[in-house]
Amino acid sequence: MATGNVSSGRVRPLAVVASVFLPPLGVFLDRGIGKSFWLTCLLTLIAFVPGMVFALYLTLVSPAG
């Protein structure tokens, strides 16, 4: 069984799509502005793909908290 947001039925399709095209926006829509948001901004500025992967991980797998 899946964990995190998937098992709680909390996956927001808009946040997932935004995580692919603009990773910080996807994290913002899912979690708001916090440490995860700023880390995603940094990863996206360094290289787009790590920011996107991290945003998708936060949006789909990792429990909010």
Side-chain angles (χ1 to χ4, degrees), residues 7-59:
S7 65
S8 66
R10 195 177 152 267
V11 171
R12 296 180 182 141
L14 182 60
V16 174
V17 171
S19 293
V20 172
F21 294 108
L22 192 59
L25 178 62
V27 173
F28 172 75
L29 291 173
D30 191 51
R31 295 176 180 236
I33 294 181
K35 292 179 186 178
S36 300
F37 172 78
W38 294 114
L39 182 57
T40 305
C41 288
L42 179 66
L43 288 171
T44 303
L45 287 174
I46 292 171
F48 185 79
V49 174
M52 181 180 64
V53 169
F54 185 66
L56 286 171
Y57 171 75
L58 290 175
T59 306

